[in-house]
Amino acid sequence: MKKAYLGIDIGSVSTNLVLIDEKNNVLDSLYIRTQGNPINTIKNGLKKLKDNMTEELKVSGVGTTGSGRNLGGIMVGSDVVKNEITAHARAAIHFVPNVNTILEIGGQDSKIILLRDGILHDFGMNTVCAAGTGSFLDRQAERLGIPIEDFGHMALNSKSKIRIAGRCAVFAESDMIHKQQLGHNQEDIINGLCEALARNYLNNLGKGKTLNGPIVFQGGVAANKGIVRAFEELLGEKILVPPYHHVMGAVGVALLAKEEVAKTKRTNFTGFEIANSEYTVSTFECNHCPNLCEVVKFYKDDTLISNWGDKCGRWSNSSCTDEKFA
């Protein structure tokens, strides 16, 4: 039976699942909207992966990343649980081994990762301003009545440059409306928005950093050719967009899981059958000390399988399951 390795990136906007083979080729990838329900999204993703299989595969390793990595890791029995910086860097090195700079723009946040000789040198994350994220682009595409898939192509058809304020999502939208009222066409406004987002990203995340080539651009927004061109003009460098740019976190953690299993010779993967189980969460406040931690209890089919959320490890590091001991 052919071996495969599973990577799951659980984010607030999307959950991505990737299967790779022993030669690190991507066998299948899924991009699913999380819609505020990561448990059901993971279950649905596993079911779809299983249904999509055209040959018999044995999942020999699994890894999770993203903001829901710990929750997902318990569900699927992760062999590795890694943060997004590590996962994205590992995937970029796989496709561009000598990469020095990684630009990543997702649905809800953005990151910049600097590597030197394949080692993490510096990084930055923007989780505050929505002006440079995919969700802001989605909103503007919807407001203009344009499919988001066409946004980048329309920007490339721009004939006249106009400047859109990109420092803040509110100002950017107000400025776009103002430019519409002045009679500018949609192609020029969209191109102006792409340039504003690239400028805002570099001013926020790239400030004070040396961005050496090769530069890789990944995340869902990397599909927007207008923003790719804007980065190239601002940085004076060729921007490389790898295949599977929208699921790079999942690719990276699948590669890391494969490397981990090569050392341990075993996997903790709980199987595709978990898609048929019911998972529930409850919380309580631990009164054992003044920290008053909110402890999360995670159940599979009414059986408690994990606790987390405490600072001292009283719950997460033990089999203690009775709240009266708190």
Side-chain angles (χ1 to χ4, degrees):
M1 189 184 300
K2 191 174 179 180
K3 288 184 177 179
Y5 301 86
L6 173 62
I8 308 177
D9 182 355
I10 307 119
S12 55
V13 174
S14 69
T15 294
N16 309 320
L17 297 93
V18 163
L19 274 175
I20 63 170
D21 65 12
E22 287 193 278
K23 295 181 179 178
N24 298 336
N25 299 309
V26 175
L27 300 173
D28 196 4
S29 67
L30 293 177
Y31 177 97
I32 306 171
R33 295 278 182 179
T34 304
Q35 296 182 319
N37 194 335
I39 293 175
N40 278 346
T41 307
I42 293 169
K43 289 169 61 177
N44 291 338
L46 289 172
K47 187 174 184 308
K48 285 183 182 175
L49 274 184
K50 180 73 174 172
D51 291 344
N52 288 348
M53 287 181 183
T54 55
E55 57 182 326
E56 203 164 356
L57 297 174
K58 178 185 179 185
V59 175
S60 302
V62 58
T64 55
T65 186
S67 57
R69 58 185 179 272
N70 292 318
L71 175 74
I74 293 167
M75 285 180 66
V76 301
S78 276
D79 299 302
V80 291
V81 178
K82 293 291 182 181
N83 62 50
E84 299 98 311
I85 300 295
T86 304
H88 278 274
R90 180 64 187 86
I93 290 171
H94 171 65
F95 290 106
V96 184
N98 58 339
V99 57
N100 277 318
T101 302
I102 301 167
L103 316 177
E104 198 276 339
I105 304 180
Q108 201 69 22
D109 61 23
S110 49
K111 314 171 190 66
I112 189 167
I113 305 169
L114 305 184
L115 303 171
R116 297 295 179 264
D117 299 321
I119 305 295
L120 179 64
H121 174 72
D122 194 6
F123 72 93
M125 294 184 68
N126 176 21
T127 58
V128 178
C129 179
T133 65
S135 57
F136 177 66
L137 279 178
D138 275 343
R139 172 175 160 73
Q140 296 313 312
E142 184 180 351
R143 191 179 65 79
L144 294 171
I146 300 169
I148 187 64
E149 296 80 11
D150 297 341
F151 227 58
H153 296 290
M154 290 187 70
L156 296 183
N157 291 328
S158 170
K159 304 296 182 189
S160 177
K161 283 189 177 295
I162 62 171
R163 189 177 180 89
I164 301 287
R167 184 177 293 273
C168 162
V170 176
F171 292 156
E173 184 169 319
S174 299
D175 209 19
M176 287 176 67
I177 293 171
H178 177 62
K179 293 296 192 298
Q180 286 177 275
Q181 291 167 339
L182 291 177
H184 292 284
N185 66 42
Q186 283 191 327
E187 286 83 358
D188 293 341
I189 292 173
I190 291 170
N191 185 54
L193 178 63
C194 291
E195 292 179 346
L197 294 188
R199 225 174 26 246
N200 179 47
Y201 175 94
L202 294 175
N203 288 338
N204 282 332
L205 293 178
K207 189 175 184 180
K209 293 179 170 61
T210 303
L211 309 187
N212 294 334
I215 300 175
V216 169
F217 183 21
Q218 53 198 47
V221 177
N224 187 315
K225 295 182 184 302
I227 294 185
V228 173
R229 184 176 70 176
F231 273 130
E232 288 180 336
E233 290 177 356
L234 288 167
L235 294 171
E237 285 273 356
K238 175 72 175 172
I239 301 295
L240 305 173
V241 178
Y244 308 104
H245 59 83
H246 58 302
V247 292
M248 290 289 272
V251 172
V253 82
L255 292 167
L256 291 166
K258 177 170 173 273
E259 292 163 4
E260 177 66 18
V261 170
K263 290 184 283 186
T264 62
K265 309 297 182 189
R266 66 181 183 84
T267 180
N268 299 315
F269 182 51
T270 48
F272 288 101
E273 295 73 22
I274 68 164
N276 300 319
S277 296
E278 291 298 321
Y279 292 86
T280 54
V281 168
S282 67
T283 62
F284 69 94
E285 189 175 84
C286 177
N287 297 313
H288 186 65
C289 76
N291 282 325
L292 301 177
C293 295
E294 184 181 38
V295 179
V296 179
K297 303 173 74 173
F298 191 45
Y299 296 86
K300 176 185 178 184
D301 296 328
D302 296 326
T303 301
L304 181 65
I305 58 173
S306 184
N307 300 300
W308 69 85
D310 51 339
K311 291 182 171 65
C312 67
R314 178 179 176 83
W315 298 93
S316 54
N317 294 335
S318 75
S319 58
C320 189
T321 59
D322 195 335
E323 293 174 28
K324 70 183 180 183
F325 293 123

